[in-house]
Structure formats: C-alpha cells, structure tokens
Amino acid sequence: MIRPALIAAVALILRLIVALGQDPLAPYNPARSDDSAWYLANAYALVTGAQPPTMITDVSRLASPPLYFLFIGIPQAFLTPEGAVIAVWVIQALMSAVTVALAFDTARQLSGSRRAAALIGWALAVHPALIVESGQILTETLFIFLLTAAVWLMLRRPMRSAPVYALAALTRAVALPLSVLLIGVLRLMRCVTWREQLVFLVIYAAGVGVWTVYSAARWGRLVIAGEGLSAFIYLGAAGWDSPQTVDVALADAGALVDGERDFATAAADAIRADPAAYAARRISELIGAYLQPHGTTFFPGASLRDALAGWWNADRSPRGLAALTMRDSFWIKLAVYMVHYTGLILGAFGFVRAVRQRETRPAALLIGAVIAYFTAAHLVLYALPRYLFPTAVFWWVLASCTFSVSNLPATRPPPPS
C-alpha cells in the first residue's frame, strides 16, 4: 500500500536539500531580479515598525495583501537575517510537502484509486518548479498551500474552508472573488443550502475584513485584501518593461501626479484607444503564459525554447542537437517542460472523464472552476507563468482521473444539512 506520508516525506527532503543549499543572505540583495528583497524589507517594517537597513519602505501605502509579509516578517523580528530566511525556507518546505499530501488525498477521492493518486503525488513531489519555489522568498508556496487546503476542505466540509479562503485572499488579492464563485458552484449543484452559502460568505468576509479594519484604523485607508489589481489591469493593457518605463508611460498619460499613480484611469484610456490591440495582447499573453512553464528561469543557462528554436532554424543536425544537451541546466529545464505539459494534457483529459460521471462531476467541476477562474482573471490582468502556476496542482489532481475513475459517493461534496 502506498502511503501519502512517504510521498510527502520525499517531497520535504527534496525541498530542504534545494532550499538549504542556497545562500540565506542572497534574498536581501536589492539587485536580484525577483522581489525577494522588497518582500523582506516591507515585511520587516510592517512587523517591527522600524525601517530596514536595505531600502526605504512605506507600509502605509502597501498595495499587496499582508499575510506573506507577516509570515516572513515575524522571523525577522526575532532571528538574525540568515536565521529568518532559513526559518522561512524550512516552513515553506513543510507547506509544500503538505500540499503534496493534500493533492494526493484529493486525487484519491476524485479518482477512487490510490494508485492513480500516488502517481499524482509522486509527480508533484518531484515537480522541479514546486521544489525550487519553496526555497524562494515569494508568495507562491504559501498561496498554493492555502488554496489547496481550502479546496480540500471545501470538498469535505465547505463551511470550514471559508477562513482558509480568506487567508488565501490575504496572500494574493487575485483570489478575492474565487471563494464566492466556488460556493456559488456548490449552491448550483445543491451541495449547500442558501443558509450555508450565506454563513460561508459572512465568515469569509469577516476574515478578509480584519485587514480592512486594521488599515482603516491605523492609516485611514480603505483596503479590501489589496490595492494592486488596478495596476495589473493597466499592465495587462499597456505591457511591462521596467518600473521606470511604467512611470514614464503613466506620466505621458497624465496618470502620475505628485507620485500618485492612477492605474485605473490609465488602463481605461489604453483600452479605449485600441480595443482590438488590447484583446489581441490579452489573448496572446495568456497563451504565452500557459505555453511557458514556470520555473525555468530559476536555473542558469540560455532559454531552452530559444536554444531549440535556434537549432531548428540554423542547424537541425543530430550533432547540433547533441551539443544542446550539454548546455547548462538543459535536462532540468527539459524536465520542467515535460512535467508542465504532461500535467496540462492529462488534466484536461481527466477533467473530461470526470465530468461525464454523475458522482465525480461535482468535485471535478469545483476543481475545474479554480483553473477556469485564474485563467479568466489573467485574461484581464497581466499574465505571467508565475501567476498561473497555482493551477498546476489542480491540473495534476484532475489528471488522476485519466488513469482511474470510480463512482464513489465520497467524491461528491457533502449534501446540505
């Protein structure tokens, strides 16, 4: 018998090996291409009320939700800089391992097969992007853990998932409407009553509202989870090159006055100026974000896609192809691509199989709604592979139904009480 604890243990060991093999002071370097230093500095300021030594911050104008800042800020308040980062990495490795176990159990309930669930569990345990992500100072690991836990709970005890969805929304504001959509799906399938739906929404709103009340009391700002969505709508309409380029474009549009950025007005103007170009940009950007797997940029070396395209256009010889395989990180990047596309293909096929059966249809629709929501959201918002990465777990859960689907009543969310 395959035990999820063994899969989770292997997942944890792999994540700890990769995370703890890095320099714990590197994330504090503002010159890094990611947002690690920004997260650490603002987290320190938010928790301690003091300015960090690495950069000037103003948390009273923080546009992002607070949970990840609290998560990485509390260790900074009590530990050395190196110790704080190591503590975050260890906890994130544990979260990622638990995510794998939750995905295993969800796949088992959905497919009715422990063997199929084990295949999904092992795929996620050795997923290169998930392994590397737990050793980053970025929101992905915490957000994916909370989202997976919320869906796992919703398939069993929908009311108990409301606080977890609130925590997910307080990690990434893009998830704010998701739980409203999902409880609506359960109501349409008559898996919850009107009263339960209302109670769920009240609990969820109360959880999200904690930050709203705190922000209003401390800074006089009305914030619901976060304020950054208008910026992502603008970036989806105008594109992204660098912070400086964005500010120049906003100034040219009259949307940057005394340091205040009016993203909503600038986005509306950009869309009205050329609706056809906006639609084409959004569709092509979303497709590109799905075609490019998240995680390849973590590894050194040239882009695998660019290298293969160059070989195809200029060489096409077996010797040239063999030379490509000797480049830095070729095989690990190839593994990222293979895991990514295998998950998408098997997940799509498993979803079709699951929705065709009455007993598995409610759970499959619920999980499919998570993927559909993020896809639709980033058809409007700026889209990167990183922003679609939280759906990877759910594609693989649906993939379990490619191998086995049984009509198990356990796959249906609990009936209304």
Side-chain angles (χ1 to χ4, degrees):
M1 181 181 295
I2 302 170
R3 297 183 181 277
L6 173 62
I7 299 175
V10 172
L12 176 61
I13 292 170
L14 291 175
R15 283 149 178 78
L16 288 174
I17 290 173
V18 171
L20 298 181
Q22 302 177 87
D23 177 8
L25 287 178
Y28 290 97
N29 183 1
R32 281 170 60 112
S33 59
D34 60 20
D35 296 326
S36 300
W38 180 82
Y39 275 114
L40 286 165
N42 282 277
Y44 180 85
L46 181 64
V47 171
T48 66
Q51 281 294 326
T54 53
M55 66 177 66
I56 298 174
T57 64
D58 183 3
V59 293
S60 68
R61 303 174 64 181
L62 197 62
S64 301
L67 190 61
Y68 192 69
F69 296 99
L70 296 174
F71 170 63
I72 66 175
I74 292 172
Q76 290 186 81
F78 298 100
L79 302 173
T80 64
E82 300 97 318
V85 168
I86 291 172
V88 170
W89 283 344
V90 170
I91 297 171
Q92 287 185 164
L94 286 166
M95 287 180 178
S96 189
V98 173
T99 298
V100 171
L102 292 173
F104 171 97
D105 196 55
T106 304
R108 181 184 62 81
Q109 292 289 337
L110 181 63
S111 67
S113 168
R114 289 185 65 88
R115 182 167 296 180
L119 289 173
I120 273 53
W122 285 119
L124 293 174
V126 302
H127 195 302
L130 283 172
I131 291 173
V132 173
E133 197 61 58
S134 60
Q136 305 299 307
I137 303 297
L138 297 169
T139 61
E140 272 70 23
T141 298
L142 175 60
F143 183 65
I144 292 171
F145 164 71
L146 291 171
L147 190 60
T148 306
V151 172
W152 180 83
L153 276 171
M154 184 169 257
L155 290 170
R156 291 154 180 79
R157 295 290 185 269
M159 297 301 102
R160 296 181 183 179
S161 67
V164 187
Y165 278 115
L167 293 175
L170 291 175
T171 304
R172 277 195 182 176
V174 68
L176 191 62
L178 176 61
S179 63
V180 179
L181 167 68
L182 296 183
I183 197 66
V185 170
L186 290 186
R187 176 59 199 142
L188 287 174
M189 293 186 295
R190 298 184 178 181
C191 296
V192 295
T193 64
W194 284 110
R195 178 180 175 277
E196 288 174 324
Q197 183 182 27
L198 179 60
V199 170
F200 177 96
L201 294 174
V202 169
I203 296 172
Y204 175 68
V208 174
V210 170
W211 178 241
T212 303
V213 173
Y214 179 84
S215 298
R218 183 170 181 182
W219 299 304
R221 295 169 58 227
L222 179 61
V223 180
I224 302 176
E227 295 179 328
L229 292 181
S230 61
F232 280 93
I233 294 173
Y234 171 76
L235 294 177
W240 164 267
D241 290 316
S242 68
Q244 295 76 19
T245 304
V246 169
D247 281 347
V248 169
L250 288 172
D252 292 342
L256 179 61
V257 179
D258 297 329
E260 294 292 333
R261 299 171 178 84
D262 188 355
F263 286 110
T265 300
D269 291 343
I271 295 169
R272 282 195 298 263
D274 195 342
Y278 167 74
R281 176 192 288 274
R282 298 308 323 126
I283 293 171
S284 63
E285 189 176 275
L286 181 65
I287 292 173
Y290 261 118
L291 293 178
Q292 172 63 50
H294 174 65
T296 57
T297 56
F298 293 134
F299 305 103
S303 164
L304 179 62
R305 184 175 59 182
D306 292 345
L308 288 173
W311 168 79
W312 181 258
N313 293 327
D315 190 344
R316 301 191 189 181
S317 69
R319 179 176 294 180
L321 181 60
L324 285 183
T325 65
M326 303 303 293
R327 292 191 177 188
D328 288 344
S329 308
F330 176 88
W331 292 109
I332 187 62
K333 289 185 178 183
L334 182 62
V336 173
Y337 271 88
M338 292 178 64
V339 171
H340 174 71
Y341 282 108
T342 301
L344 292 181
I345 293 168
L346 295 182
F349 187 70
F351 175 76
V352 172
R353 289 197 68 192
V355 296
R356 293 176 65 180
Q357 299 201 39
R358 182 178 63 86
E359 291 298 335
T360 55
R361 186 178 302 130
L365 288 175
L366 189 74
I367 295 169
V370 176
I371 296 172
Y373 170 79
F374 281 99
T375 303
H378 288 287
L379 186 59
V380 178
L381 304 174
Y382 184 56
L384 287 174
R386 172 188 168 190
Y387 300 151
L388 296 175
F389 184 56
T391 65
V393 170
F394 301 102
W395 284 106
W396 274 104
V397 168
L398 290 172
S400 66
C401 296
T402 300
F403 306 105
S404 175
V405 177
S406 301
N407 287 331
L408 295 179
T411 62
R412 178 183 291 275
S417 56

